[in-house]
Amino acid sequence: MSDEQTKSASDSDGAGALSTAIQKASKICLPLNVTFELSQACNLRCTHCYNFDRKQIARPKSEKPALTPPEIKRVLKEIRDAGGLMVAFTGGEALLHPHLIDFVREARSLKLAVRLKTNGTLMNEKKVRELVAAGVTDMETSLYGATSATHDKFTRVPGSFDKTVAGIREAKAVGIQSTINFIMHRGSAPEIGGMLKLAEELQVDHAMSLELTARYDGTDDSLENRLTKEDLEALYSGPHREYFAGSINTTDSVQCPCAVTNAGIGFDGTVYPCIGAPIAAGDLRQNSFKEIWKNSEVFRWIRGLTLQDFKSCAPCEVRSFCQRSSGAIFTNTGNYTGPEDWTCVQAGLLRDLNQSL
């Protein structure tokens, strides 16, 4: 067997072992991945921000104060005690929190893997080396186009594209494994070729996200950026259509990992099924993370759902091609188990795409 064949077999074995481990964790409901929102402060003003409309200068006042550094460190231990394996620090912009490095060190001392979700604009060689020394191994960064014109219009901060790309380069140079999450919206979809070329040039992993949601503050003009049916048709019939084929769901479930292997923690200590499903499931100032994970009525309800509880989805003829996220649908419609027209249209188009290849 050649070195390349050996590596391929090793990668395959590793992926298989990881998949098996996730399946086992799902059966016993272990919080493998916890996204921890350290702050809602951010240096960008992205038009799609799910927290609140960032056109406003002042952030909405929260009824609850933000978790203090000692409280955050306590919660990290509680995550580990509950069986957690990985924590993803996010915001807002996580790098704006003055104690981020301390939190990374604390998480690593507890044997938690640490991923950073950041817009990358505040990365420099000194900061990256601090993060690596503290224990960050992975970083996820969003880009909203392949050009500064498209990206900066979306973030509403001139120069942010160049700073983000520079931050990704800095992170990779020092050893942080980076993933670019390309956000597909009405302005960026025509630039998909440039996005893929950029990821290749930077030599980083990448993913495409078509999911935009209404905001948690109740405003929904962020959805004006979402791809239309015509945009989806152009994307799925274009030169990169094979990129979107596949991903067929062969199970009798439309559930995502919410409350099963994933959870989210808000900056104020509110616990959610995931950071993208704003259903309050507990308060870390009243109960420990482990207690909430095991006993929350919201978590128990989600874990008890069967396909038949998704009444519109169960009989749907395009269910196998559905990219449904219960959290996103809840945010957009208020119904965790219900359908959403846009997602249904997308599933139908993905079925046609798969059948045409």
Side-chain angles (χ1 to χ4, degrees):
M1 183 179 289
S2 69
D3 289 345
E4 190 61 33
Q5 287 173 319
T6 301
K7 181 179 184 301
S8 178
S10 176
D11 290 347
S12 178
D13 290 344
L18 178 60
S19 177
T20 300
I22 292 174
Q23 289 176 10
K24 290 181 178 179
S26 297
K27 290 180 180 179
I28 60 176
C29 294
L30 284 179
L32 298 184
N33 303 293
V34 178
T35 302
F36 205 142
E37 180 187 73
L38 298 178
S39 167
Q40 290 192 340
C42 189
N43 59 326
L44 301 183
R45 299 168 58 227
C46 299
T47 61
H48 78 311
C49 181
Y50 60 80
N51 273 317
F52 54 87
D53 185 356
R54 291 191 182 266
K55 289 196 303 291
Q56 308 301 321
I57 296 175
R59 296 193 303 277
K61 290 185 178 180
S62 173
E63 295 181 0
K64 297 163 57 182
L67 292 175
T68 65
E71 286 177 319
I72 289 174
K73 290 182 178 181
R74 169 180 61 79
V75 172
L76 289 172
K77 185 178 186 303
E78 292 172 358
I79 291 171
R80 191 69 185 94
D81 289 344
L85 291 182
M86 193 274 286
V87 62
F89 289 122
T90 188
E93 172 49 50
L95 284 169
L96 286 174
H97 199 294
H99 299 283
L100 172 62
I101 298 297
D102 291 337
F103 301 150
V104 174
R105 290 196 186 104
E106 182 70 15
R108 291 300 298 129
S109 74
L110 295 165
K111 309 301 181 185
L112 288 166
V114 178
R115 167 173 284 234
L116 185 64
K117 294 192 174 187
T118 172
N119 61 44
T121 60
L122 302 177
M123 287 289 194
N124 53 47
E125 184 179 357
K126 180 177 182 293
K127 178 61 68 176
V128 172
R129 291 192 181 280
E130 287 179 346
L131 290 167
V132 170
V136 172
T137 57
D138 295 87
M139 180 178 91
E140 181 180 324
T141 304
S142 292
L143 279 173
Y144 305 104
T147 64
S148 57
T150 299
H151 178 91
D152 294 0
K153 181 179 180 180
F154 202 81
T155 64
R156 294 189 285 224
V157 175
S160 57
F161 177 83
D162 291 338
K163 289 180 180 179
T164 294
V165 172
I168 293 170
R169 292 187 193 277
E170 289 283 2
K172 180 174 174 58
V174 180
I176 295 180
Q177 178 64 41
S178 295
T179 299
I180 297 177
N181 189 24
F182 288 114
I183 307 299
M184 305 298 290
H185 56 91
R186 299 184 71 175
S188 68
E191 298 181 357
I192 181 173
M195 294 178 187
L196 296 174
K197 184 177 179 180
L198 179 60
E200 182 179 1
E201 175 195 334
L202 294 171
Q203 297 183 322
V204 297
D205 293 336
H206 63 279
M208 297 282 177
S209 175
L210 281 66
E211 182 182 289
L212 296 180
T213 68
R215 301 190 186 92
Y216 299 172
D217 67 358
T219 58
D220 62 3
D221 59 307
S222 53
L223 292 174
E224 295 172 2
N225 297 292
R226 189 158 61 171
L227 300 180
T228 64
K229 179 182 179 181
E230 291 72 27
D231 294 328
L232 288 171
E233 288 173 336
L235 197 63
Y236 294 160
S237 62
H240 303 286
R241 60 187 179 278
E242 293 187 10
Y243 188 93
F244 298 95
S247 301
I248 298 174
N249 179 11
T250 58
T251 71
D252 288 328
S253 174
V254 291
Q255 289 268 52
C256 53
C258 281
V260 178
T261 58
N262 288 8
I265 297 174
F267 77 102
D268 59 3
T270 304
V271 179
Y272 304 103
C274 86
I275 206 67
I279 307 173
D283 185 339
L284 288 167
R285 288 192 170 105
Q286 297 180 12
N287 300 100
S288 72
F289 179 83
K290 186 175 183 179
E291 290 170 332
I292 295 169
W293 178 259
K294 285 183 171 293
N295 302 319
S296 164
E297 291 184 6
V298 171
F299 283 5
R300 286 179 176 273
W301 170 68
I302 290 175
R303 293 166 188 161
L305 293 172
T306 67
L307 179 60
Q308 299 310 312
D309 291 306
F310 296 80
K311 299 186 184 303
S312 296
C313 301
C316 182
E317 62 180 11
V318 295
R319 174 163 54 83
S320 296
F321 303 91
C322 187
Q323 305 293 302
R324 161 184 226 291
S325 164
S326 295
I329 287 180
F330 172 80
T331 303
N332 293 340
T333 70
N335 186 353
Y336 188 87
T337 60
E340 184 191 26
D341 291 344
W342 187 90
T343 304
C344 297
V345 167
Q346 182 194 29
L349 293 174
L350 284 172
R351 175 196 58 188
D352 297 343
L353 170 62
N354 277 275
Q355 291 177 349
S356 68
L357 295 175

